[in-house]
Amino acid sequence: MPTIYDNIEEILADELKHTLEESTRSDFCVGYFNLRGWKTVSDIISGYQGAEDSCCRLIVGMQRPSQDLLRQVLVNQKQGLVDQAQVIALKKAVALEFREQLAFGIPRSDDEKALQQLSEQLKSRKVKVKLYLSHSLHAKLYLCFRNDRKSPVIGYLGSSNLTMSGLEKQGELNVDVVEKDAANKLVDWFEDRWNDRFALDISDELSQIIDESWAGDKLIPPYYIYLKIAYHLSQEAQTGESNFDIPKEFSHLLPFQKKAVTLAAQHLYHRNGVMIGDVVGLGKTMTASALAKLFEETFVIETLIICPKNLVKMWKDYAHKYHLRAHVISISKINDSWLENERRYQLVIIDESHNLRNRQGKRYGLIKDYINLWESRVILLTATPYNKTYFDLSNQLRLFVPEDQDLGICPELYLETIGGQHEYIAEHQSSPFSIAAFEKSHFADDWRELLKMFLVRRTRSFIRDNYAETDESNGRKFLSFDDGSRFYFPERIPRKIEFDFDVEDPGDIYAQLFSRPVVDTINKMSLPRYGLGLFIDEKTSSTANTNEQLQLQNLTRAGKRLMGFCRTNLFKRLESSGYAFLLSLARHAMRNSVYIHAIENGLLLPIGSQETQLMDEFLEEHDEELDELGLVKMHHMLADYRIGAASVYDSMLRQQQKFKWISPRFFKSDLKDKLDPYLQPLYDAL
C-alpha cells in the first residue's frame, strides 16, 4: 500500500528530501514553479554533477505566456514553419512572468541565496527547465532515480506543486509510487512530455533574469539604481509626450504647460479622468483647453464644461478662440431637468471641482449620474483639491472612478496596520485595491500613491527650479514667451502698507466698518448657536436617552470658547473686506432663521461641530434657489430670511445624514429669544 503525504500527518517535503539525498538524478513535472519555493530542495540538487545522468529535469505545465504569441508560435511549429524570432519572443515573455515572482514581496537573504544557487545550477546544467506548450498540464510528479536494484525509481504523485506551501504547509494529497512497473510507466510518461516538440527549454532565460534581478551576485552602482528609479517615476510622463501631440492652436504654450497637457492626456486616456491641480496662475484653464482640443481632434468628440457662474463667459471665450466643440454651463443650472435633457458629451471639464467634494450633495449626484450614463472622460480643475479631509480628494475622484474599480495599487501603510490584504477582505468584504480601501487610510503616503495616478500639480517654485532660465546680469529667474518677452519671477518681500481714514467722514467706508457701534455690537453678540450647551434645560435633559445624553455632553464642552472663536472670525472677516463681513452676516442670518423655524414647529435641530461647515456647503450648493427667495441678498433684514427658512429646512431633511440632530425640548425657552433679534443691530449700525 502507498504512503499518503498530506502535509498534516506526513510532510511531503521531508520524505522527498530524504529520497533525493539517495538519488543520482531526478525528474519533476509540476503545474506551477515558484522560484522561491525551489530553496526547499536546492541544496540537495547542488550535489548533482551536471551530466545527463546526474541532473534535475523540470517540466512546467501551467505557465501560460501571452496567448496570441503562444498561438502563433504553435501554428508555425505545426506547419513546419518555425519562426525563431517568435520563439525568442516567447521565451522572453515567459522570463518576464518569472521576473514578476522575483519582484513580489520583501527580499530576504535566504531567498537571495536560493536564487543565486538556482542560477548556478542552471548554468552548470544541474537543473534543466522546459515549458510544456502542447496543452495545459497540471500534473504534479516527482521521480527520484537511485542505485538500488529492487526500487531504482521512486515516484511521488498527487497535488503538491513545487512551492513552499505545496511541499510543506497547506493540506495536500500525495502518494509514493515504489512498485517497479508503476514507476517505469511514470518514467515513460515523463519522457514523452520532455521530448515533445512543443516543450520549450527556458533554462538560459531563467538564469539570466535571476542574474539581472535583485538576487544577482553582481554589485550594482547606486547611480544605476537612481537612474532606474528616475526612469520608472517619469515613464508615464515620457510616454504621454511621445503618444500625444500638442494641438497647433496651442503651440504658444510654455514648456511646463505642454508637459502638463501630455501627462494629463496619459492619465485621461488610460484612467478616464485626471485632476489638474496646478496652483493659481500657472494656466490650468489653458492646459485644460489644450487637453480638450487634443481629445476632440484625436477621438472626434465634444466637450461639456461645467463651471461656476462667474466663469461661464471666460470659458465661452476660450471655446470660441480655440474652436472647441464645447458647451458651457453654470454649475448652478445643474438640476433634474438638466440630467434628463442634456445630450451626450464624451468629455466633461469641471472647473473649481473642489465645490463637489461632498458626494451627498444633489448636484454631485446629478453630475456623477451624467458621467456614468454617458461614460464620459473627466477633467477636474482645482487649485485647492484638498480642504479638510482626504474625503475631499476621493469624492472628486469618485466622479469617474467606480467604488469597486481595481486601481492596481492599495493603501499599503494602512493594510500593514490591520494585518494585510486578507484581513481587510475578511473585515470589509471588498477589494483592498479600490478607492474605498484608500478612504479608510489616514496615512498621507498612501494618498500620495493614489494621486500619482490622477493628479497633475506643480507649484511656482517647481516651475522656477525646473523650467526657468537665469538672467546672468542680475541672477533672477525668468520664463521666455514666443514673442521674445520675459516673465521674471517676483521676489516676494513683505512690506508694511499704511493708509489714513477719517472716522468722522460718513463717506469713508473702511472707517464706518470699524466704527464704534459696529465693534461694540460684535462684542455684545451672544452667538447662542455656538454655545448651545449654555441653554440646556436640566429638567428635560434628564429624560434624554443614552445617545441624546452623549450629544448634550458634547455641546457642553464647546460653550463660550467656541462662541469667542466665532466672534474672532467675524472681526477677521470685517478686516478682510466689507463684502466678506456682510456675507458672513448673511450666513448667520440664514442659519439662525432655520433654527427659529425648527423651534417654533417642534422640529429637530441640526447640531455638532461640523454643522456650520455643512450648512455653509448646503447654502452654497443651493445659492440659486435661495437667491430666488431673496435669501442671499445681504441688504435684506432678518424678516426676509425667515421667509425661506421652511424651504431650506425641508431641503436639509432630505439630506439628513449630513447632520446630527437633536430635539429642541432639551433647551431653555430663551434660546429662541436670543436667536431672533441679535443680528438686527448690526444692520442698523451699517
Side-chain angles (χ1 to χ4, degrees):
M1 291 293 291
T3 303
I4 294 177
Y5 299 92
D6 58 3
N7 292 342
I8 299 174
E9 296 182 2
E10 296 289 342
I11 307 299
L12 177 61
D14 295 340
E15 185 63 22
L16 179 59
K17 287 190 287 185
H18 176 73
T19 307
L20 283 172
E21 288 172 350
E22 300 175 347
S23 69
T24 57
R25 69 182 184 90
S26 55
D27 291 336
F28 299 164
C29 180
V30 293
Y32 299 100
F33 170 43
N34 181 271
L35 293 176
R36 287 192 171 105
W38 178 257
K39 63 186 178 183
T40 304
V41 298
S42 183
D43 287 340
I44 301 173
I45 301 300
S46 289
Y48 291 158
Q49 300 303 310
E52 287 295 326
D53 59 350
S54 184
C55 69
C56 176
R57 297 184 300 176
L58 172 63
I59 296 175
V60 181
M62 295 297 290
Q63 198 80 22
R64 309 299 287 180
S66 170
Q67 294 299 312
D68 292 338
L69 180 59
L70 173 61
R71 187 180 301 111
Q72 188 59 51
V73 171
L74 293 179
V75 169
N76 287 349
Q77 286 182 334
K78 289 177 181 178
Q79 294 176 349
L81 303 172
V82 178
D83 187 334
Q84 190 61 28
Q86 287 182 331
V87 172
I88 293 174
L90 181 60
K91 288 187 176 184
K92 288 182 177 179
V94 174
L96 287 174
E97 292 182 4
F98 280 108
R99 185 190 297 274
E100 292 178 2
Q101 290 187 24
L102 291 177
F104 184 80
I106 301 174
R108 300 189 310 182
S109 58
D110 55 340
D111 288 334
E112 181 180 19
K113 178 182 176 182
L115 291 169
Q116 290 176 356
Q117 192 174 44
L118 173 58
S119 176
E120 181 58 36
Q121 292 165 349
L122 290 165
K123 293 173 184 175
S124 62
R125 300 307 181 195
K126 295 180 181 180
V127 177
K128 300 176 183 179
V129 182
K130 283 189 176 183
L131 187 69
Y132 186 76
L133 299 176
S134 287
H135 52 75
S136 294
L137 182 61
H138 206 219
K140 289 92 174 179
L141 171 65
Y142 303 91
L143 296 171
C144 302
F145 298 84
R146 311 186 305 164
N147 293 321
D148 186 293
R149 186 176 61 85
K150 292 184 178 180
S151 55
V153 182
I154 295 180
Y156 297 93
L157 184 67
S159 62
S160 289
N161 270 309
L162 188 53
T163 63
M164 185 78 72
S165 57
L167 294 177
E168 298 183 24
K169 296 184 178 180
Q170 66 186 22
E172 303 282 358
L173 181 59
N174 303 281
V175 295
D176 59 2
V177 181
V178 182
E179 195 272 326
K180 186 179 296 187
D181 181 65
N184 286 335
K185 287 180 179 178
L186 292 176
V187 171
D188 293 340
W189 181 90
F190 182 91
E191 290 292 342
D192 288 343
R193 282 142 188 82
W194 182 262
N195 296 317
D196 189 287
R197 60 176 177 162
F198 298 144
L200 190 65
D201 192 317
I202 59 170
S203 303
D204 293 338
E205 285 72 23
L206 284 182
S207 175
Q208 181 180 353
I209 68 165
I210 293 173
D211 291 344
E212 292 177 353
S213 74
W214 57 267
D217 57 0
K218 294 181 180 179
L219 293 178
I220 301 175
Y223 180 65
Y224 290 175
I225 297 175
Y226 165 77
L227 290 179
K228 183 174 178 62
I229 293 173
Y231 170 78
H232 284 288
L233 289 176
S234 63
Q235 189 173 20
E236 193 159 26
Q238 296 178 56
T239 304
E241 193 168 7
S242 60
N243 288 349
F244 298 100
D245 296 323
I246 302 296
K248 61 181 181 180
E249 292 90 344
F250 294 89
S251 59
H252 62 282
L253 293 182
L254 292 169
F256 74 87
Q257 293 172 324
K258 292 179 179 179
K259 180 68 73 173
V261 173
T262 55
L263 177 56
Q266 187 76 357
H267 291 331
L268 188 59
Y269 177 73
H270 288 288
R271 303 184 182 104
N272 292 324
V274 63
M275 176 183 286
I276 301 177
D278 286 349
V279 300
V280 175
L282 296 186
K284 289 187 297 297
T285 306
M286 185 73 73
T287 299
S289 299
L291 185 57
K293 187 67 176 180
L294 189 159
F295 270 70
E296 286 183 1
E297 292 181 346
T298 305
F299 302 105
V300 193
I301 61 176
E302 296 179 302
T303 304
L304 174 66
I305 301 172
I306 301 174
C307 63
K309 185 190 300 184
N310 61 311
L311 298 181
V312 168
K313 183 180 183 303
M314 178 199 72
W315 272 110
K316 286 184 176 180
D317 291 342
Y318 269 80
H320 174 73
K321 180 177 181 180
Y322 296 110
H323 311 292
L324 297 178
R325 295 189 292 272
H327 171 57
V328 183
I329 182 174
S330 167
I331 193 171
S332 62
K333 300 293 185 181
I334 302 299
N335 51 39
D336 293 326
S337 61
W338 167 81
L339 181 62
E340 296 172 359
N341 300 322
E342 188 67 86
R343 66 182 184 86
R344 183 188 184 191
Y345 291 91
Q346 297 95 323
L347 179 63
V348 177
I349 297 176
I350 303 176
D351 201 356
E352 305 290 352
S353 64
H354 53 266
N355 291 325
L356 295 174
R357 59 181 177 265
N358 172 28
R359 70 172 180 260
Q360 275 75 46
K362 182 177 181 180
R363 284 180 185 153
Y364 181 101
L366 292 171
I367 293 173
K368 181 176 174 61
D369 288 344
Y370 177 89
I371 293 168
N372 291 339
L373 175 64
W374 297 117
E375 297 180 339
S376 305
R377 288 187 168 93
V378 180
I379 302 173
L380 304 176
L381 302 181
T382 174
T384 55
Y386 174 89
N387 185 22
K388 292 188 176 182
T389 71
Y390 292 128
F391 285 97
D392 296 342
L393 298 170
S394 64
N395 286 345
Q396 293 174 69
L397 295 178
R398 275 175 174 265
L399 288 167
F400 60 86
V401 178
E403 181 171 320
D404 58 351
Q405 178 179 322
D406 188 339
L407 299 173
I409 60 172
C410 59
E412 295 183 0
L413 294 179
Y414 164 69
L415 293 180
E416 186 178 341
T417 64
I418 65 172
Q421 296 180 18
H422 295 297
E423 290 295 328
Y424 177 88
I425 295 172
E427 181 177 351
H428 300 288
Q429 300 299 307
S430 62
S431 170
F433 296 93
S434 64
I435 194 169
F438 277 91
E439 289 176 336
K440 294 176 175 57
S441 174
H442 61 276
F443 292 98
D445 284 343
D446 282 341
W447 286 89
R448 290 190 186 98
E449 290 302 311
L450 174 65
L451 290 177
K452 285 179 183 178
M453 300 178 63
F454 300 101
L455 179 64
V456 177
R457 180 174 174 83
R458 285 84 54 82
T459 61
R460 290 186 183 85
S461 59
F462 175 84
I463 302 303
R464 184 187 61 227
D465 296 341
N466 293 276
Y467 288 94
E469 303 173 69
T470 302
D471 189 331
E472 298 297 336
S473 64
N474 54 28
R476 293 184 62 186
K477 295 282 188 177
F478 68 91
L479 296 173
S480 298
F481 294 98
D482 285 347
D483 60 3
S485 61
R486 294 180 174 184
F487 167 77
Y488 283 88
F489 284 84
E491 297 179 1
R492 299 184 181 277
I493 302 175
R495 295 177 180 175
K496 182 174 67 173
I497 299 178
E498 296 182 354
F499 57 92
D500 298 325
F501 59 89
D502 185 2
V503 294
E504 304 297 333
D505 182 1
D508 192 324
I509 298 176
Y510 191 84
Q512 294 304 310
L513 284 173
F514 279 90
S515 64
R516 177 53 58 185
V518 173
V519 174
D520 288 344
T521 304
I522 293 176
N523 283 325
K524 293 177 181 177
M525 289 171 64
S526 58
L527 301 169
R529 280 189 308 101
Y530 295 91
L532 289 174
L534 302 175
F535 294 88
I536 295 175
D537 187 311
E538 294 183 2
K539 182 178 180 180
T540 56
S541 63
S542 63
T543 64
N545 60 36
T546 303
N547 182 57
E548 291 169 335
Q549 288 178 355
L550 180 61
Q551 289 182 326
L552 292 171
Q553 290 173 6
N554 290 335
L555 290 176
T556 304
R557 294 193 187 104
K560 293 184 178 180
R561 190 184 310 158
L562 188 57
M563 296 164 69
F565 179 73
C566 176
R567 188 177 291 109
T568 300
N569 277 343
L570 279 175
F571 278 115
K572 288 182 177 180
R573 300 284 280 178
L574 178 62
E575 187 177 24
S576 173
S577 71
Y579 177 86
F581 177 61
L582 292 173
L583 183 61
S584 293
L585 294 185
R587 297 297 187 197
H588 277 293
M590 172 53 66
R591 292 193 292 265
N592 274 20
S593 298
V594 169
Y595 259 56
I596 293 169
H597 169 77
I599 293 172
E600 289 178 343
N601 293 276
L603 303 173
L604 298 178
L605 298 174
I607 62 169
S609 59
Q610 300 297 316
E611 178 267 329
T612 299
Q613 175 192 343
L614 291 171
M615 192 179 290
D616 277 344
E617 291 177 359
F618 174 85
L619 295 176
E620 290 169 6
E621 185 173 327
H622 295 77
D623 55 358
E624 189 172 77
E625 302 169 29
L626 300 178
D627 188 53
E628 293 175 358
L629 295 171
L631 301 178
V632 293
K633 302 296 186 182
M634 290 177 292
H635 62 272
H636 283 262
M637 298 297 104
L638 280 173
D640 298 307
Y641 289 93
R642 295 286 299 278
I643 295 173
S647 175
V648 173
Y649 187 88
D650 290 343
S651 297
M652 291 174 63
L653 279 181
R654 289 195 291 270
Q655 302 179 43
Q656 58 181 312
Q657 69 277 7
K658 292 173 56 177
F659 304 90
K660 294 181 180 179
W661 302 84
I662 197 167
S663 172
R665 70 184 182 87
F666 296 121
F667 300 98
K668 299 175 183 178
S669 59
D670 62 342
L671 173 60
K672 176 180 176 297
D673 298 331
K674 293 286 186 180
L675 285 166
D676 204 352
Y678 87 93
L679 285 179
Q680 192 66 54
L682 283 174
Y683 289 99
D684 296 340
L686 292 170

